[in-house]
Amino acid sequence: MTLRLAVFVLLLLLCAPLPSARAEALFGGDGGGFEAPPPAPRSRAEAVRFLQRAGFGARPGEAEALMQQGYAAWIDAQMAAPISLQRPAVESAIAAAVLVDPRNGPAYRPLRLERWFRTQLDAPDVLRQKVAYALSQMLVVSDADGSPLDGEVQAVAEYNDTLLRHAFGRYEDLLRAVTRSPAMGAYLSHLRNSKTDWSYTNGVLGPSPLSPDENYAREVMQLFSIGLVERNLDFSPVLGGDGQPQQTYDQALIGATARAFTGLAFACTGPASPGGVAINRNCGCTGSACNFSTLLYAQTPPSYQGSGLMHPDRYAPMVCYPRYADTGRSATAVDSYAVLPAPHDRKTLLAGITLGPSAVACHAGTPAQDRQACIDYCDDQVDTVVASLAAHPNAAPFVARQLIQRLVTSNPSPGYIRRVAEVFENDGSGVRGNLGAVVRAVLLDAEAMNNRPGPEFGKLREPMLGLLAVWRAFGAQPGSSGGIGLTRPERAYQQRPLGAPSVFNFYEPDYQPPGEFAERGLYAPELQIVNETSVVTASDDLWARLWAGYSRSGQTSTPFSVPANLAYLPPAELEALPSDPAALVDALDERLLAGRMSASMRQLLIDLVTGPMAVADPRRKALNLIHLIAISPEFALQY
């Protein structure tokens, strides 16, 4: 049997349908009867398993360090580590590029993706990076082709950094920063969201046809905080007297919330030099007077010579322009901007919170002594909405469940969700929404740490994260020119960071594949982007990336030269693997599968090494086995 045929036969065997017990590893257990987790991993395999959840995989040496440090101390150190921000590096790269050949925004998107993947190869703050990635799939913005952010490379990179900065802070603060982000404002259209003007026509006070955009008001409730129905702490629906789930909001609440999200637009800070390149911006005002400029409200911060290098105001937090914010007053001097007739003078928000009208008139000509009061009113109503969402009882199980799904298992037990949600409600010191405490609870829960999980525990590994896990497991390095070579990962892996096709992400947390999943009421979100075609394209791309720099021309030897713009596996890492076939397979099992390879798969791989691959050099054996393991169902299931 030729080597090519042997590999093909083995691939068919590895990709055959799993026994039902292994296939059910996508599901969630009942959360009962687990022992308390040990303070530190008891083996390297246990450490790898944890690091594949808490990061993007274990680089050489990281598992051993975790074993010495222990789980709690490792998490503490991760939360204290400096943040590996991405926007400054992206901005510098764009600035250097525009000085040579100024191009439009989309041309520089590859620089953002290169930086994101470069960061994940060896970032020291792996936990923060992983949590920010999880949050990016909950609080979604996207620069997908044709989206409002298609050319806003710096703004999207800054949004990623916003998630990084708040990954371990209070959820309310994160939600406030997201609400103020121009990237989110552009994506969900509350940037320059203007109030309905009430004025006099033929002596009668009435509203203009313009109504505030409701897009962000709807999605911040449905997707970012409380969901569609009332929930208990374990995520089960709260049933009304009719036995049906109770809605969290209605159209009236959406409308009132949209009115509160009015008046936000770009700040104006004057001239700036992003990446050392000067971009002039004349605000024509100073201090609070700028917040009352109709010109600035409508103005988009400039770019360098019309290129993709944007003025920093393009990604700085949005500010309030009270003239365009709904203050519960008319928009005409005829009645001195009087308070509107009830109920138009107020906004009734979540939990019955009512915002009354501004105490002073806010318009383009507001006198200097009243300006700050108007700005405060505008800021306060935005903050009040955000605070009401973070304080809602649903926020705890809503956030808990999705973080568990992204980090640990697709179908967490009600008990698992409840335990994490309780930490969201109170971190032990009276703080609500402490994401650092919530992440710790997600990772260290007894259900997550159980080394013998039930057959209904685990999740499908995201295709793109499978590549990262392999890269990190063998200490992948950028090419000699610093490149990673992954600028359009969605073509092979059906996803890319902050590039989802819609605000609903690449897949939804409640996605149920038809058939047994749906019949059993179980979820497998990642399967929404996995199909027969995507499995093949991902396998082919992974093969090419594993062999980056290695020659495949010879039959028994595998020469290597460092590629210029592709990440590669260092030859030393491959050559350090055991030469004995069984020991080699076991070492790869530990690095990639956390020591959970089935006996049948192990024997198949050993037979391949001792048979058709017996004459191959160590590099070739290792690369072939890594690829076969990485495209196997056992690697696809992360548990």
Side-chain angles (χ1 to χ4, degrees):
M1 179 183 291
T2 66
L3 173 59
R4 184 180 297 274
L5 180 59
V7 171
F8 179 72
V9 171
L10 181 58
L11 176 60
L12 291 178
L13 290 170
L14 293 178
C15 292
L18 292 171
S20 59
R22 290 304 298 264
E24 289 173 354
L26 285 169
F27 309 151
D30 62 9
F34 297 131
E35 296 180 359
R42 292 164 293 194
S43 66
R44 190 177 184 279
E46 278 189 17
V48 169
R49 182 190 186 211
F50 181 83
L51 291 170
Q52 288 183 345
R53 293 171 175 172
F56 295 104
R59 285 181 64 83
E62 289 182 342
E64 291 81 0
L66 174 60
M67 293 173 67
Q68 291 293 321
Q69 202 168 13
Y71 295 118
W74 182 88
I75 291 174
D76 289 342
Q78 284 290 305
M79 292 184 178
I83 306 175
S84 300
L85 298 174
Q86 295 174 27
R87 193 267 306 157
V90 172
E91 189 167 82
S92 294
I94 296 174
V98 299
L99 291 176
V100 177
D101 179 22
R103 303 177 68 184
N104 62 14
Y108 299 116
R109 187 196 301 155
L111 297 177
R112 181 183 73 78
L113 293 168
E114 281 281 309
R115 171 48 51 180
W116 193 91
F117 283 105
R118 175 68 184 86
T119 300
Q120 308 322 328
L121 283 190
D122 56 11
D125 55 335
V126 291
L127 178 59
R128 186 182 295 272
Q129 297 290 330
K130 183 64 173 290
V131 172
Y133 177 69
L135 292 172
S136 77
Q137 299 191 67
M138 296 168 54
L139 308 164
V140 175
V141 303
S142 170
D143 63 359
D145 295 343
S147 88
L149 299 175
D150 190 357
E152 300 290 331
V153 180
Q154 291 153 268
V156 175
E158 177 63 22
Y159 185 82
N160 181 80
D161 289 353
T162 296
L163 301 180
L164 287 169
R165 293 187 190 98
H166 292 274
F168 304 135
R170 293 195 313 148
Y171 195 71
E172 179 180 334
D173 295 335
L174 169 62
L175 204 56
R176 183 176 294 107
V178 164
T179 299
R180 294 276 186 168
S181 165
M184 181 61 77
Y187 190 60
L188 291 184
S189 54
H190 65 292
L191 168 66
R192 298 197 193 96
N193 194 21
S194 298
K195 69 177 180 179
T196 298
D197 276 345
W198 285 66
S199 57
Y200 282 88
T201 303
N202 298 323
V204 177
L205 182 66
S208 73
L210 175 68
S211 296
D213 188 288
E214 297 178 347
N215 199 14
Y216 185 68
R218 181 179 295 104
E219 306 304 1
V220 75
M221 290 191 285
Q222 177 183 347
L223 301 178
F224 299 173
S225 59
I226 63 175
L228 294 173
V229 300
E230 300 284 352
R231 299 283 182 179
N232 295 303
L233 272 184
D234 64 1
F235 202 72
S236 61
V238 175
L239 304 181
D242 58 357
Q244 297 300 311
Q246 304 298 292
Q247 291 185 337
T248 50
Y249 59 86
D250 56 18
Q251 182 55 43
L253 183 56
I254 293 173
T257 303
R259 289 175 60 199
F261 286 136
T262 50
L264 295 173
F266 293 111
C268 189
T269 60
S273 297
V277 177
I279 300 179
N280 186 44
R281 191 175 191 210
N282 182 10
C283 300
C285 56
T286 58
S288 62
C290 293
N291 297 77
F292 292 83
S293 168
T294 57
L295 176 63
L296 289 181
Y297 179 77
Q299 189 179 84
T300 297
S303 62
Y304 174 74
Q305 296 184 2
S307 72
L309 181 65
M310 307 300 179
H311 189 286
D313 287 342
R314 200 81 153 246
Y315 54 75
M318 294 186 291
V319 300
C320 273
Y321 289 79
R323 158 65 183 89
Y324 300 94
D326 190 315
T327 60
R329 287 176 171 266
S330 79
T332 177
V334 173
D335 60 2
S336 300
Y337 309 99
V339 173
L340 294 173
H344 308 291
D345 60 334
R346 69 202 67 175
K347 311 169 194 75
T348 302
L349 305 176
L350 198 66
I353 297 171
T354 300
L355 297 175
S358 169
V360 298
C362 304
H363 50 91
T366 296
Q369 66 269 21
D370 289 338
R371 287 174 185 163
Q372 193 58 51
C374 289
I375 295 170
D376 290 344
Y377 178 89
C378 182
D379 286 336
D380 289 347
Q381 69 176 356
V382 172
D383 290 345
T384 298
V385 174
V386 170
S388 70
L389 293 170
H392 190 280
N394 268 28
F398 183 90
V399 173
R401 177 189 182 234
Q402 290 206 55
L403 282 178
I404 294 171
Q405 283 187 315
R406 297 281 60 78
L407 300 178
V408 180
T409 182
S410 294
N411 290 272
S413 71
Y416 189 1
I417 297 174
R418 175 181 49 76
R419 291 188 294 273
V420 175
E422 287 172 344
V423 173
F424 184 101
E425 289 197 319
N426 186 339
D427 66 353
S429 59
V431 177
R432 178 180 176 81
N434 179 346
L435 289 176
V438 169
V439 168
R440 189 186 301 269
V442 168
L443 294 173
L444 298 184
D445 188 86
E447 184 171 332
M449 300 294 283
N450 179 29
N451 264 330
R452 291 192 293 178
E456 298 185 345
F457 183 86
K459 66 192 293 290
L460 188 73
R461 195 188 301 267
E462 295 176 51
M464 187 180 76
L465 300 196
L467 170 62
L468 279 175
V470 174
W471 269 349
R472 287 185 64 89
F474 297 95
Q477 299 293 319
S480 59
S481 297
I484 303 299
L486 196 57
T487 59
R488 299 289 299 211
E490 67 273 20
R491 292 176 176 173
Y493 301 98
Q494 315 307 309
Q495 57 180 156
R496 63 180 172 85
L498 288 90
S502 78
V503 72
F504 293 96
N505 192 30
F506 304 99
Y507 40 78
E508 300 180 36
D510 294 329
Y511 176 69
Q512 296 178 300
E516 186 178 359
F517 281 88
E519 292 167 2
R520 296 176 58 180
L522 297 165
Y523 306 98
E526 295 84 358
L527 275 176
Q528 198 166 359
I529 60 169
V530 175
N531 53 50
E532 294 89 341
T533 300
S534 71
V535 168
V536 173
T537 58
S539 173
D540 289 348
D541 188 82
L542 179 61
W543 170 268
R545 295 188 185 282
L546 289 177
W547 282 82
Y550 292 92
S551 172
R552 299 191 291 271
S553 57
Q555 292 296 313
T556 59
S557 64
T558 309
F560 174 80
S561 61
V562 177
N565 291 300
L566 292 172
Y568 66 92
L569 305 190
E573 283 295 326
L574 304 182
E575 292 159 2
L577 292 167
S579 58
D580 175 75
L584 171 61
V585 172
D586 290 342
L588 296 179
D589 172 23
E590 185 178 65
R591 289 200 193 196
L592 296 173
L593 298 178
R596 293 174 178 272
M597 184 182 291
S598 65
S600 59
M601 179 175 174
R602 179 177 183 271
Q603 191 59 54
L604 281 169
L605 294 177
I606 292 172
D607 291 345
L608 177 64
V609 177
T610 57
M613 293 188 66
V615 297
D617 67 300
R619 292 177 181 177
R620 180 158 301 203
K621 290 175 181 176
L623 289 169
N624 275 297
L625 292 188
I626 291 168
H627 183 249
L628 287 171
I629 293 171
I631 64 174
S632 71
E634 295 190 23
F635 183 77
L637 302 182
Q638 181 180 333
Y639 61 99

